[in-house]
Amino acid sequence: MKDVLLGARFLGRGLAWCAARPKQWLFGLIPALVSMILFTGLLVLLAYRADDVAGWLTPFADDWSKGARESLRLLTGVLLFGVGAFLSVLLFTAVTLLIGQPFYEALAVRVEESEGGAPPDPGTSLWLQIVRAIRDGIVLAAIALVFAVVFFALGFIPVVGQTVVPVVAACVSGFFLCGELTSIALDRRGLVRKERFALLRAHRASTVGFGALTVVIFLIPLGAVLFMPVAVAGATLYSRHLSPYPAKRLLPPDAPAPS
């Protein structure tokens, strides 16, 4: 629990950083607003069509009694929307970071400079950064889809599906969400996707602590938009904890952040 709280603390530090610099917070809202319009539309469409999709997924229930059939399809519809929300949290961040690459790159650099200096620009072209972001987003989407299907199936288990599964889903999505948010700062340190996630796995507890809290906030209406700059700032500070700059030594897993 101590290590989980350590990770969550970095989101609080990101909030404090943005609160002290409201112009930077407003600067980071622009890409998030664009993504919000896109994903809100998709979720509204999913909610509107959930009954039809639930019926298509459960043709075996056509001959059931009306009460049993409607109960099953209501549960299926609710689970479908939950899966949509799960995917939206992850894909919202990926799409927002892609749209706002120049915005969040500049924001991350300002965070690092306020803490003692940012690593030098690796010299990667914007086009290559976009290609990498799209590629990493596709990989993440495929992984997220697999987990979404698993959580969707487990959601039908009585009690467990409505209690344990959402918690596990928040932890899993939080880990990958942290991977997305730290990509800007860790890319600047020369770490590719596999190296980034290897580093996060070595600090799994604090990574989940940071990511799961971010997931919960992102699920609050407008939370993803208002907290996106905060999440980027916090993830940048967390990246400095994982891979300090100027580089001296890599901190051992979940070691306390330097004061």
Side-chain angles (χ1 to χ4, degrees), residues 114-193:
S114 72
E115 292 291 309
D121 188 338
T124 306
S125 67
L126 179 60
W127 172 249
L128 182 56
Q129 291 178 34
I130 292 174
V131 170
R132 286 180 177 174
I134 293 174
R135 181 191 62 198
D136 290 351
I138 292 172
V139 172
L140 177 68
I143 295 173
L145 184 60
V146 171
F147 277 110
V149 171
V150 172
F151 292 141
F152 176 76
L154 293 176
F156 288 99
I157 301 176
V159 182
V160 173
Q162 293 75 50
T163 54
V164 177
V165 172
V167 174
V168 175
C171 291
V172 171
S173 58
F175 178 85
F176 288 105
L177 182 63
C178 186
E180 291 181 86
L181 291 168
T182 55
S183 64
I184 296 174
L186 294 180
D187 276 346
R188 201 172 182 89
R189 287 161 169 74
L191 300 180
V192 297
R193 185 183 68 251

Side-chain angles (χ1 to χ4, degrees), residues 15-202:
L15 177 60
W17 191 92
C18 288
R21 301 165 180 84
K23 289 184 179 179
Q24 300 302 319
W25 172 71
L26 290 171
F27 176 75
L29 287 182
I30 298 172
L33 285 170
V34 175
S35 291
M36 180 196 71
I37 295 171
L38 172 63
F39 280 92
T40 298
L42 291 174
L43 284 175
V44 169
L45 178 62
L46 176 60
Y48 179 73
R49 303 293 297 181
D51 288 344
D52 295 335
V53 178
W56 178 75
L57 288 173
T58 57
F60 54 85
D62 288 344
D63 298 329
W64 291 12
S65 66
K66 182 179 179 181
R69 182 175 64 251
E70 290 182 349
S71 296
L72 174 65
R73 288 178 176 169
L74 176 61
L75 176 60
T76 303
V78 171
L79 291 174
L80 276 172
F81 191 81
V83 168
F86 171 82
L87 290 173
S88 293
V89 168
L90 294 178
L91 298 182
F92 172 88
T93 303
V95 171
T96 303
L97 292 177
L98 179 61
I99 294 173
Q101 177 70 27
F103 290 83
Y104 296 123
E105 178 76 24
L107 180 63
V109 169
R110 288 164 188 164
V111 171
E112 298 235 44
E113 288 176 345
S114 72
E115 292 291 309
D121 188 338
T124 306
S125 67
L126 179 60
W127 172 249
L128 182 56
Q129 291 178 34
I130 292 174
V131 170
R132 286 180 177 174
I134 293 174
R135 181 191 62 198
D136 290 351
I138 292 172
V139 172
L140 177 68
I143 295 173
L145 184 60
V146 171
F147 277 110
V149 171
V150 172
F151 292 141
F152 176 76
L154 293 176
F156 288 99
I157 301 176
V159 182
V160 173
Q162 293 75 50
T163 54
V164 177
V165 172
V167 174
V168 175
C171 291
V172 171
S173 58
F175 178 85
F176 288 105
L177 182 63
C178 186
E180 291 181 86
L181 291 168
T182 55
S183 64
I184 296 174
L186 294 180
D187 276 346
R188 201 172 182 89
R189 287 161 169 74
L191 300 180
V192 297
R193 185 183 68 251
K194 290 184 179 179
E195 294 170 329
R196 295 199 308 267
F197 278 98
L199 181 61
L200 294 177
R201 284 195 298 271

